[in-house]
Amino acid sequence: MAKMGILIDITKCIGCGACEKACKMRNGLPLDLENNLSATAYTVVQERLPGTYVRRMCMHCQNPTCVSVCPVGAFTKTAAGPVTYDKDKCIGCRYCMYSCPFSVPKYQWDRVVPYIQKCYMCADRVAEGSEPACTAACPTGASIFGDRDQLIEEAQKRIKDNPHTYVDHLYGLEEVGGTSVLYLSNVPFEKLGEPFNINLPDKPLPVYTWAALEKVPTIVVVGGVVLTGIWWITSRRDEVKKFEIKHKEQKKLTGKGDKP
Amino acid sequence: MKLPKVTFWRIVIAAITILGLYYTVLRYTKGLGAVTNLSNKYPWGLWVGFDVVTGVGLAAGAFIIALTVYIFRIDEYKPILRPAILTGFLGYSLVAVGLLYDLGKWFDVWHPIVFWNPHSVMFEVAWCVMLYLSVLGLEFSTVVFERLKWHRLNHLIHILIIPLSILGVILSTLHQSSLGSLFLIVPTKLYALWYSPYLPLFFFISAVSVGLAMVTMESFLSMRFLGKGIELNLLNGLARVNVLVMAFYLTIKILDMAGRGVLGDIFSTRFESIMFDIETLVQVVIPFFLLLIPAVRTSAKGLFVTSLFIVIGFIMNRLDVAITGVEASSGTTYFPAFGEIMISVFLVTMGFLAFAYAAKYLNVFVHVEEKEEGPVEIIHDV
Amino acid sequence: MVAIMVAITIIGFVVLDLVIQSLKGKKAQEEQKINLDFSDFRVPVSTFFYPGHTWVNIQSNGEVRVGFDDFVRKVIGDIESIEFPEEGKALKQGEKAFSVKSGNKTLSFLSPVDGEVAAINKLMLANPAEVAKSAYHSGWILAVKPTNLSANLKAMKIAEDAVEWLKAEIRRFREFALGENLHYVKDELQYEVGRTSQDGGCLSEGMLSRMDEKAVKYFEEEFLGKPR
Ligand code: SF4
Ligand code: SF4
Ligand code: SF4
């Protein structure tokens, strides 16, 4: 299956919150509206500037940080595009929350057995060939679902056709190696706050840790050899010392015996 | 039954224990949110920063002394081997217990054994800590076997001790540096003075430095609590090594900052910069210059004070990286809740108690005791 | 913030402990004045004591370590510096080996063995006041290559003998310093020493610093021995 994605066009969003409601219904979450992403809100629409609404959700990175950092591999980047979470594997270290460049994963702080919660791009519906609940509910087409490559084409066409409306940046095309969720905006992204962070590198973040991690086998092998070598030398040295002392004593004894 | 004598510290310990147990019950019956100030914006706090990231570093003395005695075969340091290994073992055990508090699904703590993700630094740290805790357990088990007079088993450990210590040194090198790698994943969140591609190297070197300082502190603690003598000449040797380690640390830190063009930031009046400056002064600069003075290096007071500097500076460094450094980018502030603090204090207190009891009932200071009766051979001159 | 909080907590605990220790210490010090007695001294089992209050400990490399015992250390109190012989110098049992300075007083110690100075304790050179507190351990003074050890050892005491001897020495010192047994000390001297120990007629650390020159001289000759 092709890699699917979601295109969010900020110019078209009217802040109706239909996606929020649809998501909550779909996932059996309490229906009251929330201001921020939370364990009970996988997506929210926030008015960042007067009349400008930003819809927050998991970016479904192409090379996701959360997948790379989780010690038990609770996250998976599925072939279809969604990044999904296995609550049974999770141990609750919250490293994913700490490191996600868009601060997406949220936690059930009030539970005795808490889980990570985040948008999973309705992976089950996507697998069935249908679209996520939120994009289906969007009345203006501000959020649309589709093949990521086609969405990119579409977005670039929109920018080209309306250069005065859109800023010339498709957010999510390159950031941290690309994300499945893409944003178009008429306001410069740096003015809008999260998830837009213009300082983010185009390299996927897991590359940074891998640079250190890939050295592990070398350290193990070289360390093992060097340490064993040092131990061998020092223990040899001690043996030689012992031998010399013995030798000297023997010489002394025989030397005395030689004397008339 | 004779009641123990009431002393100031016993009252304090009792109070800490009661509070600690109360918050423990609360944490396990009401969840993390009830005890901690952690939030969706601030998922890591004191328990990760202090109990885990700092705790592992503070227990680094064990591998350094094991390396010195078993691999470099400098027998002179044997008297402080057992206390160092005991502290290491207790330190890592506390880290494990701390994890059980911090992990949301603490009962699944064993998951990394079966569910692998070799791309995760946390996975590597988990394995190293697990293995190293076993290594320390085995290294320390001789002391227990000795006490139980299980000579066969003791002999077995004796045969294994060299491969075990080699393994221990490798594991320590790996996870001490990997604790730094943990933060490589947040290049835009962590303040520029702390974020560096060389974080793993910095973490490793500073762990060596604080390990040496901790061994020194242990000697003072055992003098304070158990009335043991102090191995001044050995501690003096450690201090001299530490001077070199700290010089190296400071040099590469400055080079790295200059290379990344953030050296000027240390003069900034931003909160983070000031914290960075305090931390660096306390952790490296002040102790480095203090230890250059021979009178400080050779006096008990001097060694104690410099070690205290290094240890506190080290703790500040780790907390700065894990907590303060990401505060600005988190969009909120964090200060641990009283319950969080109490649990950390409780764990440290338990560590102290365990050390005191182990030292009392096991032959931890065996060599020192020999020395109290008479000078044991010292082949090496200081 | 968190870092500062933790740092302050730790420093707080350390300071609190120091305060409590020093409060306790004051009490203990008062007790100690009375108690500087047999129970304050320990005799290491593997160490030979020379009557001039120096000791010898035989090393596995055949050298011997030489130092002065804890009794003298306590009498002297804070040690300012030590005058070492040069390395390689030949020593003779009963002849001057090294001297110790404290305040304006200098005490000479006799060598317990014949031999050649192989090394001096550099740690003692750097920080004598602290290091000397471990009188039988880090506080050694010289390492000597002995040349006549078996004969030399005959003049020394070890184990139970050493304990008995040290007890007798402490008794003798009490008599000298506190005038407990008048007929033992010359009247004139007793008068002067007596004045120095007005602090309740008991022994305390660093008594020597409060004695006058004559008394110190007497102490040196009577306890550390006259060089042959
Ligand atoms: S946005 Fe965060 S949680 Fe979502 S895929 Fe990317 S790293 Fe994972
Ligand atoms: S909290 Fe769970 S999902 Fe997140 S990194 Fe830890 S184990 Fe993985
Ligand atoms: S994709 Fe599904 S889970 Fe994600 S925000 Fe939309 S409805 Fe919610």
Side-chain angles (χ1 to χ4, degrees):
Chain A
M1 197 195 280
K3 287 226 172 190
M4 306 308 277
I6 291 175
L7 175 65
I8 298 174
D9 189 335
I10 290 175
T11 60
K12 291 189 176 174
C13 183
I14 53 168
C16 68
C19 50
E20 290 178 39
K21 264 165 260 158
C23 177
K24 285 186 174 252
M25 302 262 273
R26 167 87 231 276
N27 294 299
L29 300 168
L31 284 180
D32 21 73
L33 291 186
E34 292 176 58
N35 297 325
N36 256 311
L37 289 184
S38 78
T40 49
Y42 303 166
T43 181
V44 288
V45 181
Q46 295 169 329
E47 186 171 19
R48 294 282 169 81
L49 296 170
T52 304
Y53 299 92
V54 173
R55 181 179 165 216
R56 291 279 279 121
M57 64 187 290
C58 171
M59 302 289 286
H60 297 279
C61 311
Q62 298 289 74
N63 186 346
T65 307
C66 57
V67 170
S68 117
V69 297
C70 177
V72 290
F75 287 108
T76 323
K77 174 76 181 175
T78 57
V83 174
T84 59
Y85 164 73
D86 180 346
K87 72 182 192 354
D88 294 324
K89 275 189 184 173
C90 173
I91 57 175
C93 67
R94 312 185 299 285
Y95 192 21
C96 50
M97 302 177 70
Y98 186 82
S99 52
C100 168
F102 307 108
S103 307
V104 167
K106 301 296 173 203
Y107 210 48
Q108 298 173 321
W109 294 103
D110 48 349
R111 303 246 180 132
V112 179
V113 180
Y115 299 113
I116 293 284
Q117 299 287 305
K118 75 167 192 72
C119 158
Y120 57 105
M121 213 199 261
C122 292
D124 46 346
R125 287 173 59 127
V126 171
E128 284 163 8
S130 82
E131 67 172 316
C134 53
T135 54
C138 183
T140 64
S143 299
I144 55 170
F145 175 78
D147 181 290
R148 182 172 184 264
D149 293 336
Q150 281 168 16
L151 289 177
I152 293 172
E153 247 169 61
E154 161 71 20
Q156 273 159 351
K157 201 171 137 257
R158 284 189 205 174
I159 295 179
K160 215 159 120 209
D161 294 349
N162 310 285
H164 298 298
T165 319
Y166 292 105
V167 288
D168 186 13
H169 186 158
L170 178 58
Y171 194 89
L173 183 62
E174 317 243 77
E175 277 78 8
V176 291
T179 58
S180 298
V181 174
L182 304 157
Y183 283 90
L184 277 175
S185 169
N186 53 345
V187 183
F189 284 108
E190 57 269 30
K191 289 195 180 146
L192 290 176
E194 248 174 359
F196 310 116
N197 180 349
I198 45 157
N199 294 326
L200 279 179
D202 289 347
K203 258 197 285 181
L205 299 186
V207 172
Y208 289 78
T209 39
W210 188 245
L213 270 176
E214 68 181 355
K215 303 210 174 76
V216 168
T218 326
I219 294 181
V220 172
V221 174
V222 174
V225 171
V226 168
L227 290 173
T228 318
I230 294 177
W231 169 77
W232 192 76
I233 291 171
T234 50
S235 64
R236 267 295 287 167
R237 187 195 63 195
D238 285 4
E239 265 169 33
V240 169
K241 228 195 226 159
K242 261 186 212 156
F243 178 77
E244 273 174 359
I245 290 173
K246 240 191 195 168
H247 202 68
K248 256 190 203 163
E249 275 170 6
Q250 260 171 7
K251 241 188 178 172
K252 252 189 200 166
L253 283 178
T254 48
K256 256 182 196 167
D258 280 346
K259 269 181 193 166
Chain B
M1 209 181 84
K2 218 179 91 192
L3 285 171
K5 213 172 91 192
V6 178
T7 65
F8 175 77
W9 284 120
R10 290 213 171 114
I11 297 172
V12 173
I13 290 173
I16 291 174
T17 310
I18 291 169
L19 281 170
L21 290 176
Y22 169 73
Y23 283 111
T24 304
V25 172
L26 206 61
R27 185 257 168 266
Y28 285 107
T29 52
K30 294 269 153 51
L32 283 167
V35 189
T36 68
N37 271 350
L38 296 176
S39 63
N40 278 333
K41 284 187 174 171
Y42 227 104
W44 276 5
L46 186 68
W47 290 350
V48 176
F50 184 74
D51 301 6
V52 179
V53 176
T54 310
V56 168
L58 291 180
F63 95 88
I64 300 167
I65 303 297
L67 175 74
T68 313
V69 172
Y70 289 128
I71 314 294
F72 293 153
R73 283 182 160 245
I74 306 179
D75 285 345
E76 202 188 337
Y77 286 91
K78 257 190 183 159
I80 47 178
L81 176 68
R82 281 184 172 187
I85 287 187
L86 172 64
T87 340
F89 181 64
L90 290 175
Y92 277 89
S93 308
L94 282 186
V95 168
V97 177
L99 264 179
L100 290 182
Y101 277 91
D102 186 69
L103 290 183
K105 285 170 70 195
W106 50 274
F107 43 83
D108 283 339
V109 65
W110 49 273
H111 273 185
I113 302 177
V114 285
F115 302 117
W116 285 28
N117 179 12
H119 282 264
S120 164
V121 183
M122 184 81 85
F123 171 77
E124 189 217 324
V125 173
W127 266 92
C128 283
V129 168
M130 218 152 51
L131 290 176
Y132 188 51
L133 186 57
S134 326
V135 167
L136 281 172
L138 285 174
E139 282 183 344
F140 190 69
S141 66
T142 53
V143 183
V144 181
F145 294 154
E146 199 178 283
R147 165 92 197 193
L148 298 172
K149 300 207 161 53
W150 292 355
H151 296 304
R152 280 251 180 88
L153 274 175
N154 217 347
H155 191 68
L156 187 73
I157 302 284
H158 207 76
I159 296 171
L160 287 176
I161 199 78
I162 298 296
L164 270 181
S165 3
I166 292 180
L167 184 65
V169 173
I170 295 175
L171 287 172
S172 295
T173 313
L174 286 181
H175 69 256
Q176 294 292 0
S177 54
S178 289
L179 282 174
S181 315
L182 275 184
F183 302 97
L184 288 179
I185 200 84
V186 287
T188 54
K189 289 186 176 180
L190 187 56
Y191 188 60
L193 277 178
W194 286 298
Y195 186 87
S196 153
Y198 294 105
L199 265 175
L201 186 64
F202 295 156
F203 266 53
F204 177 68
I205 310 235
S206 52
V208 171
S209 165
V210 84
L212 293 167
M214 278 301 281
V215 173
T216 309
M217 296 288 281
E218 281 150 31
S219 290
F220 285 98
L221 283 182
S222 41
M223 175 187 76
R224 164 71 184 82
F225 293 114
L226 310 164
K228 307 281 177 190
I230 286 207
E231 315 275 335
L232 256 192
N233 49 343
L234 298 191
L235 301 187
N236 177 265
L238 296 182
R240 289 155 76 134
V241 176
N242 215 345
V243 170
L244 297 179
V245 176
M246 285 191 289
F248 181 58
Y249 181 72
L250 204 57
T251 315
I252 54 171
K253 264 221 105 115
I254 292 173
L255 286 180
D256 165 67
M257 283 191 288
R260 286 184 296 120
V262 294
L263 200 52
D265 283 4
I266 58 176
F267 302 112
S268 141
T269 47
R270 269 187 69 145
F271 177 62
E272 287 95 336
S273 292
I274 295 171
M275 289 296 284
F276 179 86
D277 294 347
I278 299 179
E279 153 210 316
T280 314
L281 281 178
V282 176
Q283 184 191 7
V284 228
V285 181
I286 297 176
F288 173 74
F289 285 109
L290 278 178
L291 284 183
L292 282 183
I293 308 169
V296 174
R297 241 181 316 162
T298 50
S299 84
K301 256 188 220 130
L303 286 173
F304 177 78
V305 171
T306 38
S307 305
L308 194 63
F309 263 110
I310 297 174
V311 170
I312 290 181
F314 172 88
I315 295 175
M316 292 183 75
N317 168 257
R318 293 305 196 256
L319 292 176
D320 282 345
V321 173
I323 300 176
T324 311
V326 293
E327 200 158 43
S329 61
S330 75
T332 177
T333 52
Y334 164 83
F335 192 81
F338 183 67
E340 249 172 309
I341 301 175
M342 268 339 284
I343 297 240
S344 287
V345 173
F346 172 60
L347 290 183
V348 175
T349 312
M350 291 303 114
F352 271 100
L353 284 185
F355 183 84
Y357 277 103
K360 198 167 164 193
Y361 293 110
L362 299 169
N363 233 348
V364 178
F365 289 92
V366 58
H367 303 279
V368 182
E369 268 163 13
E370 267 170 24
K371 276 192 174 148
E372 268 197 349
E373 285 160 12
V376 171
E377 38 171 287
I378 299 166
I379 305 158
H380 196 84
D381 277 339
V382 184
Chain C
M1 270 337 260
V2 186
I4 292 180
M5 184 269 295
V6 173
I8 290 178
T9 313
I10 296 173
I11 296 172
F13 272 102
V14 172
V15 169
L16 201 59
D17 188 52
L18 286 180
V19 169
I20 290 174
Q21 283 290 95
S22 75
L23 287 182
K24 259 200 212 157
K26 260 185 204 150
K27 252 196 237 158
Q29 238 176 24
E30 277 159 25
E31 281 161 22
Q32 198 189 359
K33 269 187 191 162
I34 311 160
N35 279 343
L36 193 64
D37 209 346
F38 303 140
S39 55
D40 268 340
F41 298 99
R42 277 201 186 158
V43 172
V45 287
S46 63
T47 302
F48 290 90
F49 284 75
Y50 184 66
H53 287 277
T54 46
W55 54 258
V56 163
N57 185 260
I58 302 161
Q59 308 286 298
S60 61
N61 61 359
E63 288 176 2
V64 299
R65 289 259 161 98
V66 173
F68 53 87
D69 66 21
D70 202 31
F71 162 74
V72 191
R73 215 277 305 159
K74 284 193 168 123
V75 170
I76 299 177
D78 269 352
I79 283 154
E80 239 158 61
S81 66
I82 291 179
E83 208 178 278
F84 293 95
E86 276 146 42
E87 275 178 34
K89 193 189 164 194
L91 296 176
K92 271 242 162 313
Q93 190 178 44
E95 282 176 10
K96 191 192 147 184
F98 58 89
S99 37
V100 170
K101 254 193 86 169
S102 169
N104 52 0
K105 285 152 188 145
T106 309
L107 294 175
S108 297
F109 287 79
L110 307 185
S111 172
V113 285
D114 299 350
E116 192 179 287
V117 179
I120 64 169
N121 185 355
K122 303 231 170 66
L123 219 50
M124 237 353 199
L125 194 65
N127 188 5
E130 277 295 323
V131 180
K133 285 188 180 147
S134 154
Y136 302 110
H137 184 214
S138 0
W140 58 278
I141 310 277
L142 307 171
V144 178
K145 214 178 228 136
T147 48
N148 192 15
L149 194 57
S150 54
N152 288 163
L153 283 178
K154 294 201 178 102
M156 295 183 221
K157 303 217 159 40
I158 190 166
E160 293 80 6
D161 288 348
V163 173
E164 280 312 309
W165 166 78
L166 193 62
K167 274 188 183 171
E169 285 290 284
I170 294 167
R171 222 173 287 133
R172 202 155 71 91
F173 182 75
R174 290 184 70 93
E175 287 164 357
F176 153 67
L178 307 175
E180 279 180 352
N181 199 347
L182 286 182
H183 68 256
Y184 179 78
V185 197
K186 292 175 215 147
D187 291 345
E188 172 205 5
L189 188 70
Q190 195 275 319
Y191 172 64
E192 277 156 22
V193 181
R195 259 200 326 207
T196 63
S197 55
Q198 281 155 351
D199 31 1
C202 46
L203 300 178
S204 57
E205 248 190 80
M207 280 194 88
L208 204 71
S209 63
R210 277 165 277 139
M211 295 183 181
D212 67 6
E213 226 162 90
K214 239 188 209 164
V216 172
K217 191 106 193 81
Y218 181 84
F219 172 79
E220 188 177 4
E221 284 181 4
E222 283 300 313
F223 289 86
L224 307 183
K226 274 183 245 171
R228 250 185 234 154

